[in-house]
Amino acid sequence: MNYLSDTITKPTEEMMASIQHAALGDDVYGEDPTVNRLEEFAAELLGMESACFMPSGTMANLASIMAHCPRGSKVLVGDESDIYIFEAGGASVCGGIMYEPIPTQPNGELAIQDLEKVFPFDPEDPQFALPALICLENTHNRCGGKVLSLSYLKEVYEFSRKRKIPIHMDGARLFNAACAAGVDVKEIMQYADSVQFCLSKGLSAPIGSIAAGSKEHIKKVRTLRKMLGGGMRQVGIMAAPALVALEKMTSRLRDDHTRAKKLAQGLSSIPGIKINPEEVETNIVIFTVDEDICTWQRFLALNENQGLIFSEMGYGRIRAVIHRHISDDDISSTISTVRSVIEIEMTQTV
């Protein structure tokens, strides 16, 4: 079983069939009718004015940050965020924008008092790069798929209005957040100025992400997409399965969440595995292994030999991501395999 990421999902048969009949045109000129329909549907779904189909979440985040931030300004990001850790410093390299890492709380939040600290006492002092954007991640990957509460999002939104800077949400797994919170995705998006979400994770489309926001923001994003090399031609062949994903796949995410909880409960019963199942909110399960029994490197290798693939998220944290190719039987088999690996290692350490 491959728990490496939900990026490994394959498109459904309906998605593959949609490619064969997609109406095509040159999207750089805005002439691909399938892309146009996808963007209109996505914007309506989010309650945003406009949307843009992007090749990847990384490019969607980068273009959104650059559209918000002038050169020489700061973007406030969590020190455990995907934007800060996994996106190759793009805002600094391409946009001349400084990352200001903010301590990430265990639940994925950036505390208001920590955000407040990075604003200079005198914004007219020319010595300082000024904050121009707050980035939030929802759900939060390295915090174990945590969902940012609506009350917290409202609090940060009110803070951002006071400080007169916008909020961008890295919502790679935005629909997991809405599903877990039991709310319409519009309720989340009322507290952000822009967002990106991935079509190629739990939603199972083969490729792509959506950037959304105001008409003016997305106009800038389109220009930046072209500059970054993301302008695409007859891209309706990718937009067609993405439409199927948005129309058919969002509601099934709760199945992944249920299986993630079942996996966490099973792992918690294994000696040497540290995890609190109550903290699992969506499709990501993060746990650690007692190093007196087994190092995380050896744990990954031993399980891979048994056909189980996990990933490591820093500081020895091991991640399992549930997706539509993981069944109930797979969960049971995984728990049994991990238990067997740990028991063998325990006998060797006695």
Side-chain angles (χ1 to χ4, degrees), residues 260-282:
K261 182 74 78 171
K262 180 180 177 182
L263 176 62
Q265 290 167 342
L267 291 174
S268 70
S269 69
I270 301 173
I273 300 290
K274 184 178 179 182
I275 183 173
N276 181 357
E278 297 304 313
E279 294 183 356
V280 175
E281 298 178 2
T282 55

Side-chain angles (χ1 to χ4, degrees), residues 1 267 270 299 302-310 329-344:
M1 279 75 72
L267 291 174
I270 301 173
F299 178 85
L302 290 171
N303 278 282
E304 187 167 355
N305 288 340
Q306 300 299 316
L308 284 180
I309 300 175
F310 301 112
D329 287 344
D330 291 332
I331 298 295
S332 298
S333 175
T334 296
I335 294 166
S336 297
T337 300
V338 172
R339 185 184 300 278
S340 176
V341 165
I342 291 294
E343 287 176 351
I344 291 172

Side-chain angles (χ1 to χ4, degrees), residues 160-292:
S160 74
R161 299 310 98 166
K162 182 181 74 171
R163 283 299 187 172
K164 297 182 172 56
I165 65 171
I167 293 173
H168 172 70
M169 184 175 291
D170 178 3
R173 298 178 176 89
L174 177 66
F175 289 92
N176 291 89
C179 181
V183 299
D184 189 288
V185 71
K186 290 187 179 76
E187 292 193 47
I188 296 174
M189 292 322 306
Q190 68 181 311
Y191 299 120
D193 299 280
S194 64
V195 66
Q196 84 82 12
F197 69 84
C198 291
L199 297 154
S200 58
K201 290 189 168 74
L203 300 185
S204 299
I207 193 169
S209 289
I210 292 289
S214 68
K215 289 180 180 178
E216 185 62 28
H217 175 76
I218 295 303
K219 182 179 178 181
K220 294 177 182 177
V221 165
R222 286 190 193 281
T223 300
L224 289 160
R225 182 184 70 171
K226 177 63 177 174
M227 184 192 76
L228 295 168
M232 300 174 285
R233 303 302 179 177
Q234 286 73 30
V235 75
I237 59 171
M238 295 190 291
L243 265 169
V244 175
L246 279 183
E247 291 169 347
K248 303 290 181 67
M249 301 299 286
T250 58
S251 61
R252 66 148 305 280
L253 294 174
R254 63 175 59 91
D255 296 336
D256 295 340
H257 300 177
T258 299
R259 292 187 178 110
K261 182 74 78 171
K262 180 180 177 182
L263 176 62
Q265 290 167 342
L267 291 174
S268 70
S269 69
I270 301 173
I273 300 290
K274 184 178 179 182
I275 183 173
N276 181 357
E278 297 304 313
E279 294 183 356
V280 175
E281 298 178 2
T282 55
N283 67 321
I284 297 176
V285 176
I286 288 184
F287 59 97
T288 57
V289 180
D290 186 342
E291 288 206 353
D292 291 335

